[in-house]
Amino acid sequence: MTTPRLPSLAIFDLDDTLYPYEPSHRAGTAALVQFAAKELGVKERAFLDVWDGARKRVKDRLGATGSSHSRLLYAHEAIEMLGLRSQPGLALAMGQAYWRKYLLAAKLRPGARDLLSSLRFNNIPIAIVTDLTAEIQFRKMVHLELDQVVDHVVVSEEATTDKVGLEPFRVLFDRLPRQESAHVWFVGDSVADVSCIERLVADGLIESGTGWLLAGRGEAPPGALTWSRLEQIEDALHALIPGAREASA
Ligand SMILES: [Mg+2]
């Protein structure tokens, strides 16, 4: 097993990393189904097929960009596909129905707050780099009370590509002092989150990095570590700081 080095910066993915995605997405989808039945007179199965089709159209058109994840755009497209032409008011209400229930179901993963506190306590800057549009990602952060504990946030809507195209990382490192790119920890739930490290090194954006991949989400790239509880990452941090005090101590 690779021994991690103390990070000069810790970058977290947001969705499904700091909180679990599935319960929120399920709640949001149930709200959409309810909305479609009540406001559009479309039954669940038919609606979900149209929603999937709308999502695919938007993603095919926009590629890997922040707006390709916009539920507002999926709603807008779905309403067109149902033959109702553009209905901006309905699209907004649908998007809001989804996100309202989504946010209500969102809870930080156990250990998330302690890990972030420990990083802060040990003067390690924290960034969130996440795909999607800024308004909803900022709302999630405020709802989860992450906005005051994170130093930097980049949402892919601010860049020309999603994380996979590395542009959000360019935005981030343009904002940071050079010494913070010496050794970066990347904590994420997908192989894509940690497999960018090699390309970031090759492009000279960082000197080196350690990836932390959620266990069971695919094959970890060479040198990456896996986590199933965020406490494991906090333990690794404490092991690297002799005599480290915990933020709660
Ligand atoms: Mg994620």
Side-chain angles (χ1 to χ4, degrees):
M1 182 174 149
T2 321
T3 310
R5 262 173 65 194
L6 197 64
S8 54
L9 168 75
I11 299 181
F12 288 83
D13 168 56
L14 176 60
D15 302 307
D16 214 22
T17 294
L18 290 172
Y19 73 94
Y21 173 76
E22 258 329 297
S24 284
H25 180 59
R26 248 197 325 271
T29 304
L32 283 179
V33 165
Q34 216 175 15
F35 184 95
K38 189 160 169 259
E39 305 295 332
L40 309 173
V42 182
K43 290 207 172 79
E44 177 167 357
R45 191 65 261 161
F47 171 75
L48 289 175
D49 284 348
V50 171
W51 184 261
D52 274 354
R55 182 173 165 272
K56 191 167 179 308
R57 271 194 196 179
V58 170
K59 283 196 177 292
D60 286 350
R61 197 160 60 221
L62 293 170
T65 58
S67 50
S68 75
H69 310 277
S70 166
R71 285 9 176 225
L72 177 63
L73 296 186
Y74 302 167
H76 184 56
E77 192 74 36
I79 291 165
E80 277 278 2
M81 287 168 77
L82 287 167
L84 300 171
R85 300 187 285 188
S86 272
Q87 300 280 348
L90 271 182
L92 280 169
M94 253 171 117
Q96 264 174 26
Y98 176 87
W99 287 122
R100 207 179 92 77
K101 293 290 181 178
Y102 184 106
L103 283 180
L104 286 172
K107 301 276 177 287
L108 280 184
R109 282 191 193 276
R113 195 160 296 286
D114 286 347
L115 170 59
L116 296 171
S117 298
S118 281
L119 287 163
R120 276 190 87 77
F121 191 81
N122 290 291
N123 297 317
I124 296 164
I126 301 164
I128 286 180
V129 181
T130 172
D131 291 337
L132 220 149
T133 49
E135 182 171 344
I136 187 59
Q137 297 309 72
F138 292 172
R139 281 189 195 284
K140 287 176 191 171
M141 290 185 60
V142 170
H143 174 81
L144 294 168
E145 297 178 354
L146 290 171
D147 54 320
Q148 298 303 314
V149 293
V150 165
D151 299 290
H152 306 278
V153 183
V154 179
V155 179
S156 65
E157 189 186 26
E158 297 180 87
T160 50
T161 67
D162 274 340
K163 286 190 283 186
V164 67
L166 301 188
E167 292 303 322
F169 296 106
R170 277 185 213 288
V171 173
L172 175 70
F173 289 107
D174 275 351
R175 291 174 181 164
L176 295 182
R178 185 68 201 163
Q179 67 268 22
E180 290 184 14
S181 56
H183 184 74
V184 184
W185 280 10
F186 292 79
V187 182
D189 67 282
S190 76
V191 175
D193 288 324
V194 292
S195 62
C196 61
I197 297 172
E198 227 168 71
R199 289 184 298 145
L200 290 171
V201 171
D203 286 4
L205 284 172
I206 61 170
E207 284 168 43
S208 63
T210 299
W212 291 90
L213 175 68
L214 180 56
R217 295 298 173 86
E219 198 181 331
L225 302 164
T226 56
W227 61 279
S228 46
R229 292 176 305 107
L230 290 167
E231 287 91 337
Q232 293 166 294
I233 303 177
E234 197 187 355
D235 289 346
L237 182 71
H238 287 150
L240 291 165
I241 307 171
R245 283 181 297 150
E246 293 180 29
S248 53

